[in-house]
Amino acid sequence: MAILRKLLLRALSLIAVVLIVLVLVVVVLGATGFSDRILSSVISEEMRAVRQQLAETIRDPQELERALREQRRELEAFYGLDKPWYVRLPQDVLRVLTLDLGEARTVATAQGSKRIQDIIAERLPRTALLFTTALVIYFLIGVWLGTLLATRPGSKLDRVLSYFAAVSFALPSWWTGILLILIFYFYLGGLLPAGGMYSTPPPEGGLARFLDLAYHAILPIFTLVLVATGPLMYVARTITLNVAQEDHVTFARAKGIPEGLVRRRHILRVAAPPIVTGLILGLVGSIAGSITTEIVFRWPGMGQLYFQAVSGQPDESLIVALTFVYTMLYALARFILEILYLILDPRVRY
Amino acid sequence: MESVLKVILSSGVGRAGLALFALLTGISVYVLVSYPLDYGSRVWYNPAVWADNPAVKPPIWAKPGAVPHSVFLQEEPTEVRKASTGERRLYRFEIPHPYEKPPDSLSLTLTEAVYYSRPPLLTVSLTRPDGRSVRLYRYSPPAPRPGEEAPYVRHRDSPHRVDLGADPQVRAQVSAFLRDEYGLRLSANELRGRLMEILFGEPTSPEERGGPAAFRPLPGTYALEVEVTVFDRRDRIGALQAVRGGETFGWMGTDSLGRDLAQGLLFGFPVSLIIGILTSVLATLLGASLGIMSGYLGGRVDLLIQRSADVINNIPGLPLLIFLVFIFGSNLFLVIIPVIVFFSWPGLAIIVRSMVLQLREGQLVEAERSLGATRWRIMFRHILPQVGPYLLAQLIFFAPSAILSEATLSFLGLGDTSLPTWGQILEGAFRTGAVYRGYWWWVVPPGLLIVITAVAFMLIALSLEPIANPRLRRS
Amino acid sequence: MAILEVRDLYLYYETPRGPVHAVDGVSFELPEGSALGLVGESGSGKTSLGLALLRLLPKNVDTYKGSIRLEGRELMELSDEQFRREIRWRKIAMAFQGAMNVLNPVVKVWLQIAEPLLLEKTPRPQARARVEELLELVGLSKDVADRYPHELSGGMKQRVVLAAALVMNPKVVILDEPTSALDVSIQAQIMNLLKRLKRELGLSYIFITHDIALASDLCDYLGIAYAGQIVELGTSEQVLLEPEHPYTQGLLESIPRLRSTRLPSFIPGAPPDPVDLPEGCRFRERCPKAFERCTEMPPLLQGKGAGHEVRCWLLAGR
Ligand SMILES: Nc1ncnc2c1ncn2[C@@H]1O[C@H](COP(=O)(O)OP(=O)(O)O)[C@@H](O)[C@H]1O
Ligand code: SF4
Ligand SMILES: [Mg+2]
């Protein structure tokens, strides 16, 4: 029961965070006049079309101007521009919360839907594919290497990999991606593709398509793994090393427990919860990494979408929706890891 | 403070980090004293400055034996001949060209022409190693405007530059040259993009040729001659500059606008260090003050600070960073650094708070309080110094992530364009597809510098692990 | 007959500054069913001796040699695997110092106690029953079995550690400062428990402590440790009533006594650096009775008769 209460509390506070972020985003958009500017430019664009239409039917210039003014007023009411932002935006928050995310201005799905819901439904799995695969791989490698190094601190391998960890802390994922493109695409004569999710044209047939997807995913996943493994490895190593020095480990050995079991049950098992904490702390970086990696490899996921939404012709609805979805995603990932932590560590269970 | 330095120096990692940091600082100081502060807008983002440079060329050390980039400047004529009215002044540029290939480009720039009656006339020709001379180009500065008084000053602020490898006039002249000297008939249009190959070469013989006209390189010394005919002895020419565009350029090559990457990269040093240091100092100050306040004052203030810290801690940084910089603009000091600071302080505040809670019960503070010291005095005179070493260690931890955050924003095109940074150089490279074309000199060095700078801080931070993470201190 | 016989046991640790002489030629005998108290200041190598007896060597071990005979069998000849299977916990168990950190924080108490049993393929219900029996034996309720260590108080943890040490019916139990982390009332409870267990189960103890008064309460024999060596060894009566070594005398004078107006006096100074030991007698720098010979040569352990042995030049003359 205690554990359920604890989980509920965490869930509530993460939901609160999502809410606060959403409100923050909306207030910033409103208070800076950004929202108004974007809406009026949307309206002006639509008015141009309307003007052309009306000009064909209404000949009298005065009549035309009046009709246009009427039209504009209707559009303003439609978009809510006739009300101040602090009246209009709470509705936006509620709208977003009910997952009615509005329409994108230029981006559309493969089927041509402009509803942001559909767009995100199309892109989220792509981002998740890249992100989760990388997460699983770097988690396995990082923890394996880190705990391995902890068995021989000060060895040559240990020192080399410690420096690697420091460097990989400092390695921006996007630059790593660029370097990998330079090597595997340019210098190795197109051994691996420089970007995209499928070849053009995509191959026919399920298996061929899947292989093509995997082929395109190699470099982005490799990038994310390369960048995230070092820090996690370092954390895992330090924690394992600390646990291995604790008294209960000697106690276990004194009991005549074979070394393999000592390592598994009395070192790694005890090191697991703080390693999960390390993973939680690395999550922010991983999300950032997945955004920039998508951009570098032109992977059509949410990160690239976000980039499109802020560059060129900015798309307010898309920005709000994506900030919201990313915050949700992060909260969700964090929540899952925290459940894992609770399962692993009896000390925080009540 | 001293103890912190001792800890850094006691480990190899720390010494390496400190040495790197000293090197970076040295370079930054050099750049700060030798570069103008408005370098970004005045030089880096000003295309006129780079007009003479070849675009996307690798560094000179990368291609030994390549045609180097050479600049020839003359402020005084080599020879002056009197004429019936005025003078003929000859500017002669000797261009040694012992290479088996033509240069990338050849350009001439006239800076400042002052005349009193009629505009001077410039005639440009090229004398080749085989003794043949080609007339290339003629030019007169604009004539006096109605109502303008002598002396007439031209091209003082906007120098007149002619690309001798692409100018239509030159093409027409060379077409005539080929016809007269070799009997080759090539129209000015057909010469598009081939001028250098022709000027710095000779046609292959007809039997070799067979097909369309081909040219083989003609190594030797070339002379570019500019004859300036003035109609008043008082007339003046400021300077003439000839530039032979190389296949390589400078120590770090050029980008697609011909910008000298060495300069941009150098300017990145102080910017990056300032971002790292300023952000970490601000984040530490903010985190420490809020942490101390939270721990010492308790009550509602504590609750408020801890809740805010918790919320910010649970926000995925980059999406919000992108959003805020996008909305508030890319000013480095007014937006980017404050926003990074805003996302950095919570972790520190939480830890400092728990340290303060322990210290608050300490005897020293107890004694001070009984002597009637104010809360603020106790906070800043007694508690701050005690958490000091820890804060110093934290400070260094903040720097690398600040540097990386700024670089990431720049890479996304949200950087402050008044200052060139490594991230922006990379953004330009990526946007123009340098990666796919293998322009490694444009892509590798800026990223490497970002990594090196972050690693310098990282190594120092790693060596401070015993202070920052007391759990590790025991044997 | 002695159940445990230790001869010239050495355990040095390697450090960047040189070897640490933690156990430096220690010999003693432990008769079956008796308790030997090992008394010495912190750092004198008491824990190291316990670890050496269980062959629990850290990575940086420099020298490990000597003879350990258990029921007449030479343990030093056993392979590591044999030692682990046959000796640890089955013959010699150890209740570690600082019970706070001795238990694995993420494993339930009963599993930690039953671990060696389960490893031998004892069926779980039987192992569970044995654990509950042991818990009751050390004065804990059965439901402690399903708790995690962080749910227990210091005294309870110490009892759990004791129960764990008894699970395989060992002959010898090494008790490393079993009470030093506990407050006085609980300390007394644990001491009574130890006495009872010794009586009921016929255990032999090596009782490690820095508190000579505590040792005298429980032990039949006392060994006084200083800088890795035993400086005085004998029955409790011999050591307490006729202490010969100046260090032992100092220790005894530092005990506060109820029926005495004399204030307890403490031995001035600190033990020597175990890497850089003084020449001659190791106690020399703190000894009130030191004379020339003490600086020249290290004294040897000298028999005084009836098993009472002392390492001091003062005895050599007689
Ligand atoms: N693994 C080790 N490496 C180096 N020195 C050690 C190690 N373990 C203990 N020591 C040193 O050996 C000496 C004896 O320690 P210990 O046996 O714990 O003494 P005690 O239990 O009497 O306090 C101390 O000086 C201690 O610092
Ligand atoms: S040998 Fe000398 S110094 Fe050592 S205890 Fe005896 S009297 Fe004191
Ligand atoms: Mg000890």
Side-chain angles (χ1 to χ4, degrees), chain B residues 9-82:
Chain B
L9 287 174
S10 70
S11 70
V13 179
R15 283 194 296 270
L18 212 56
L20 256 182
F21 182 72
L23 184 71
L24 299 175
T25 314
I27 296 176
S28 301
V29 169
Y30 162 77
V31 172
L32 281 183
V33 291
S34 58
Y35 278 55
L37 280 181
D38 58 351
Y39 174 83
S41 48
R42 216 175 67 191
V43 185
W44 187 254
Y45 287 103
N46 180 2
V49 176
W50 311 105
D52 273 340
N53 284 2
V56 282
K57 289 291 178 254
I60 41 175
W61 46 264
K63 248 183 158 183
V67 180
H69 187 77
S70 318
V71 178
F72 306 88
L73 179 72
Q74 291 209 13
E75 291 177 340
E76 298 303 325
T78 349
E79 206 185 310
V80 179
R81 263 176 272 146
K82 298 269 175 314

Side-chain angles (χ1 to χ4, degrees), chain C residues 7 41 44 46 58 66 85 98 111 113 126 130 141 151 161 171 179-180 206 221 229 246 273 276 297:
Chain C
R7 285 273 151 258
E41 288 161 299
S44 56
K46 308 181 299 293
R85 280 176 188 281
L111 285 171
I113 300 175
Q126 255 157 281
R130 170 83 177 130
S141 86
E151 297 171 88
V161 169
K171 299 280 179 195
T179 60
S180 57
I206 293 177
Y221 301 90
Q229 296 177 323
D273 178 354
D276 183 21
M297 287 238 289

Side-chain angles (χ1 to χ4, degrees), chain C residues 138-258:
Chain C
V138 299
L140 290 172
S141 86
K142 276 189 214 167
D143 53 279
V144 169
D146 284 318
R147 300 221 203 139
Y148 286 96
H150 70 273
E151 297 171 88
L152 308 178
S153 70
M156 289 164 93
K157 277 189 210 167
Q158 188 64 63
R159 286 170 198 264
V160 168
V161 169
L162 263 177
L166 299 178
V167 70
M168 304 304 282
N169 290 314
K171 299 280 179 195
V172 179
V173 179
I174 303 166
L175 302 156
D176 190 1
E177 313 246 16
T179 60
S180 57
L182 308 175
D183 53 47
V184 187
S185 60
I186 299 178
Q187 189 172 342
Q189 288 175 16
I190 298 280
M191 290 306 287
N192 288 334
L193 171 64
L194 291 174
K195 282 186 216 162
R196 203 185 83 221
L197 290 175
K198 183 178 167 225
R199 211 171 45 236
E200 289 178 3
L201 305 177
L203 294 171
S204 311
Y205 285 155
I206 293 177
F207 182 80
I208 293 173
T209 180
H210 60 270
D211 184 346
I212 192 168
L214 206 61
S216 63
D217 185 31
L218 177 75
C219 300
D220 311 293
Y221 301 90
L222 285 178
I224 309 298
Y226 190 80
Q229 296 177 323
I230 290 190
V231 294
E232 183 156 8
L233 184 67
T235 63
S236 296
E237 290 75 27
Q238 288 166 340
V239 175
L240 294 170
L241 302 176
E242 307 155 30
E244 292 288 354
H245 198 282
Y247 179 57
T248 315
Q249 292 163 357
L251 282 180
L252 287 170
E253 273 159 32
S254 67
I255 307 173
R257 274 160 220 267
L258 275 181

Side-chain angles (χ1 to χ4, degrees), chain C residues 245-246 281 283-284 287 289-291 294 299 311-314:
Chain C
H245 198 282
C281 176
F283 187 54
R284 195 186 81 208
C287 182
K289 299 179 180 159
F291 55 109
C294 306
R311 190 187 289 272
C312 173
W313 283 127
L314 285 174

Side-chain angles (χ1 to χ4, degrees), chain B residues 44 47 50-51 53-58 252-261 424-425 427-434 437 439 441-443:
Chain B
W44 187 254
W50 311 105
N53 284 2
V56 282
K57 289 291 178 254
M252 298 313 289
T254 59
D255 67 8
S256 60
L257 297 176
R259 291 187 286 210
D260 181 2
L261 285 170
Q424 288 174 32
I425 292 177
E427 190 263 341
F430 185 70
R431 190 168 27 79
T432 55
R437 302 200 186 99
Y439 299 152
W441 62 91
W442 190 4
V443 167

